[in-house]
Every structure is written in structure tokens, then in C-alpha cells.
Amino acid sequence: MLSECADATSSHLQNGIDTENQKTKTNYTWLPPNLPSKCTWKPGKPISDSPHSHVPLPEETNILPNILKKVGRTPLVRINKIGKAYGLKCELLAKCEYFNAGGSVKDRIALRMVEDAERAGIIKPGDTLIEPTSGNTGIGLALVAAVKGYRCIIVLPEKMSMEKVDILRALGSEIVRTPASNFDSPESNVSVAQRLRYEIPNSHILDQYRNPGNPMAHYDTTAEEILEQCEGKVHMVVGGAGTGGTITGIGRKLKEKCPECKIVGVDPEGSIVALPSELNTAEDATMEVEGIGHDFIPTVLDRSVVDLWCKSNDADSFLMARRLIREEGLLCGGSSGSAMSIAVKAARTLTEGQRCVVILPDSVRNYMSKFLNDRWMGKNGFLKNVQEHKPWWWNVKVQKLNLSAPLLLVPEVNCQKAIEILKEKGYAQAPVVAESGYLFYWLAPLSGMGVAHAQHLLGSATYIMWPIKETLHKLAKRRTGQIQHPLTSMRVGPGS
């Protein structure tokens, strides 16, 4: 059971949304995303005492009426190789949230917040939805807005990937970029979104940081799915904390249904979310992993349900995400690597027959130009002294490789014979190498264009009976008026 999770200091605040008629507003009021929660949730309270509506798990059908019905019911997948590599005795499972319609766990809260507001009569199609986000909530809202007929404005920090920007634009959203700054800065995405809210008629901020629909979505669906998929037997859940809605909703439900289950929260270095506060020492650390970590405590985050907080770092996160892709075939994002890099350590306390569920929030789709890219990884220092991105033969000497002997042509063979040899051996081209070992030319007569070009320059097809050396001399002379030997300075063989 969840009680009121949003701040309730304003009488016009309903379901976490500022509902005062903005046409009457004359003064801009800053609404912090870290106001103390008014939530009265406690384990054991009957669900009948909850002030919220509760949504049952959706039934699966063969044909969906629209794509929004593909939010939820994500697969739980066994991790086979990575758990063994770390010597884990427990069963390691991944909750693959990127199977949601918009590609991330945030699709759940986007749909829930919109439908809660619709049921309350706060919003209607044609209104404008504004949201400050690191990207995934924005994509989820843009998807819902496209299907339901809302205008959508997403306020996004500049550090977020261009893939997210392109997806948002494709979904018809308007995008406002803001500099990376403290949440209470006038230039932050939170502040800019709130100013837009006061300037644009019939606009609303659903506010993932304060809206109770955020943790409620995971309390009602994500946690229930985990319990159903694990048949009620789950001993540890590991997840990152962005807004904190995922870890709060799942944690509260599991505290009610599986009190022995340990909730492990993952917070990146540079963030202040973890407890005890002594963990948050790396204040100047850069946070390249997107979607988790903050410089404030979101209203919806209930840190009391987290049994253990662990700090993640960018390098371990990205390298683990790449391992999940390469070894397990899970096309997940960087924050998934954060969660798994902590899970393989935290789950060492579990024994055979126990289960650890790791939340994988989004897919690699959003980060093709970032951690999936070797150059980006190297530029940012994440692949320094690491060989995992290089092929197996990278440091093997050529003479140790079991390579077949190359096809070499001598300058004295005529062009017709050279072509016959190439056709017989199945080659389109071959090097012409003199007895001295110098590379005389690289012959590619089977390209078609090479033959036609030679005929055009020499004015005759009889060149095909000339030795390669003579043909090349004539070609070079026709081009420049003097004899040249292309590439005569390149040596082939030992010492090259």
C-alpha cells in the first residue's frame, strides 16, 4: 500500500500535478523537486487504506489495440556466464525493462502519470505536457502523447545522448536543451520546465520527481511481475536510483510480500542519494552514465526501503554493459551495467537456491555513439589498459597466425595469363612483386573498370597479351608523359 507521495503543501496540488488555473497566475513560483514527502506508507497497512487508485497487471492479448498496451510484462532472463565468472552460487536474473514499448522502465511511469491525470480530469487531449528529464521519461511521455494526442515539450540537459534527442523528435516532441547545472539553478532543466509551464496555456508538468504515480507504477506492476515470475521466491533486488520511483515502488511491495528480500540501491559516484551520507564523498566525479544519480533527494524516493546502498562508477558500468551485450546478448544501456556491476558483488552473500533480480532500465539504442563506441570509450579513458574491445589476434605476431600463402604475380607474366590465374584462384586482385621483393604494382583487372580504363588509355585491347610490366609502363606514360613505377618504394617480406 502507498499513501500520498507528493508534496502536499499547496492546496492546488493534485496527484503530484500543479492544477491551479495558470491563466490567473501572475508570479512564477519555484517548486523544488526535493520537498519532503508526505507519504504515510508502512509495511502491513491494508491496501484499502491507500488514497491511490491501484492498477492490476494487464492481461496479454494476441492483438493490441495500441502500442501503449505493450508497456509492462517485461521478461525476466537468467544470466548464465557473468554470474559464473564471478563465482556466484545464487541464480542471477535480469528484469529487461527495455522490452517496454518506448524502450525503458520509464514507459511505466509515463503511462501511469498521464492516465492518473486523465482520470482526475486534470488533463485532456490537446493540452501540453512538459517534463524535465534525462531522456527516458521524456521518450515514454512522447510516446504516450503521440498516441493520445497531447503536445509534448521535453526539457533535456545537454549531456544526454543525441540518440535520445533524435527519438524524441521522431515522436513529435519539442525539445529544449539546458546546460548541465545544479537542480536549483535558474538554467537547470527543472527550472526551465517550470517557467515554460507558467508561460504556455493549458500546459502541465506531470513531475516525475513528486508524482506518486511514479513509485505506484512499480508497486502495482513491476514488483508484481517479479513476484509472479519468481513464484514469490526472490531474495535480492538490485536497481539504480534516478528519481527513485523504481526502487521505492518495488522495494515497498517486496517488503510487504517478501520481507526477507534485500533491496540494494545503486548510486553513481558524484551523486548524493546513497545512505549513509559518508558514501557520497566523490563530489567532483563526472557522471557519464545517464539516468541515475542526483544532486538532490527526489520527493518520491523512500530511502528507508533500501537495505544497502552501493556506489557505482562509470568505467565499471560501461564495461559491464558491454559484457552483458557480448556475453549474454542483452542489448542494454549504461545504467544496466551500473546495476549489474554492483549485483555481482552484493549477490556473493546469497547461497545456492536463492535468487537475485537485477533491474536493467533501458537499451543500448540510446547510446550507440557513446559507450558502445570504442573511440568514445578510449577518449574518455574507459578502455585504458583494457583489451576487452580488441580482437583475439590483436597482440599475436603475424608469423604465428595460420595464414595461407598469398597469391603473388611477377611483372613478366602477361595480362591475359594474370587474369586467368586470378579467376582460377578466385581472386579479384593480387600484388605484382619483383624478385627483389619490392611491390611493383597492385593489379585489379577483374574489376571491369580496370580493364575498360586500360583500353581507353591505350586505345587497344591487345594490351592483354603484353607483360604486366610493359602494360604498366605504357599506362604510366600515357597519363604523365613519362615512365613511373607506382609504389616501387614499398617492400614486401621480412623487415617490412
Side-chain angles (χ1 to χ4, degrees), residues 260-405:
E260 74 282 0
C261 180
K262 195 172 197 177
I263 307 299
V264 179
V266 179
D267 188 42
E269 292 179 355
S271 171
I272 66 164
V273 171
L275 286 175
S277 57
E278 289 76 19
L279 290 173
N280 307 316
T281 56
E283 295 181 0
D284 296 330
T286 58
M287 291 192 294
E288 290 290 347
V289 174
E290 299 179 24
I292 58 174
H294 280 296
D295 59 345
F296 64 92
I297 309 301
T299 299
V300 298
L301 172 58
D302 180 3
R303 294 190 287 179
S304 71
V305 300
V306 178
D307 299 295
L308 174 67
W309 284 99
C310 297
K311 303 295 285 190
S312 63
N313 64 67
D314 288 338
D316 289 348
S317 299
F318 291 136
L319 293 175
M320 180 58 78
R322 288 164 71 108
R323 286 191 68 179
L324 284 166
I325 294 169
R326 186 181 64 251
E327 297 180 28
E328 304 288 347
L330 300 177
L331 299 175
C332 59
S335 61
S336 299
S338 301
M340 189 61 71
S341 69
I342 295 300
V344 294
K345 300 173 185 176
R348 289 171 181 167
T349 60
L350 300 182
T351 60
E352 190 172 348
Q354 293 186 307
R355 287 184 175 133
C356 174
V357 174
V358 186
I359 308 299
L360 306 188
D362 69 354
S363 81
V364 74
R365 173 199 68 186
N366 293 337
Y367 314 103
M368 305 292 280
S369 62
K370 299 189 87 172
F371 81 87
L372 201 63
N373 184 286
D374 282 356
R375 290 184 180 177
W376 185 92
M377 289 285 284
K379 179 182 177 181
N380 287 277
F382 300 132
L383 285 180
K384 191 174 183 179
N385 298 322
V386 177
Q387 298 294 317
E388 64 88 28
H389 68 299
K390 295 177 180 176
W392 63 268
W393 44 261
W394 191 260
N395 293 317
V396 180
K397 293 183 178 180
V398 174
Q399 63 183 3
K400 297 292 185 182
L401 297 174
N402 186 24
L403 300 176
S404 57

Side-chain angles (χ1 to χ4, degrees), residues 68-69 75 289 299 469:
L68 301 182
K69 298 301 180 183
V289 174
T299 299
K469 185 175 181 179

Side-chain angles (χ1 to χ4, degrees), residues 1 47 54-58 72-74 76 95 97 108 112 215-234 237 246 249-258 357 359:
M1 181 291 277
I47 198 169
H54 289 269
V55 177
L57 286 178
R73 291 287 186 185
T74 57
L76 192 63
K95 182 69 168 162
E97 286 297 293
R108 295 179 186 263
R112 178 61 179 262
M216 284 297 300
H218 301 293
Y219 179 90
D220 283 344
T221 64
T222 318
E224 288 289 353
E225 290 171 23
I226 292 172
L227 287 167
E228 181 181 282
Q229 289 164 327
C230 290
E231 298 178 334
K233 297 177 182 179
V234 55
V237 172
T246 304
I250 293 174
R252 286 179 168 179
K253 177 56 68 75
L254 292 178
K255 290 298 179 185
E256 295 173 357
K257 297 290 185 73
C258 280
V357 174
I359 308 299

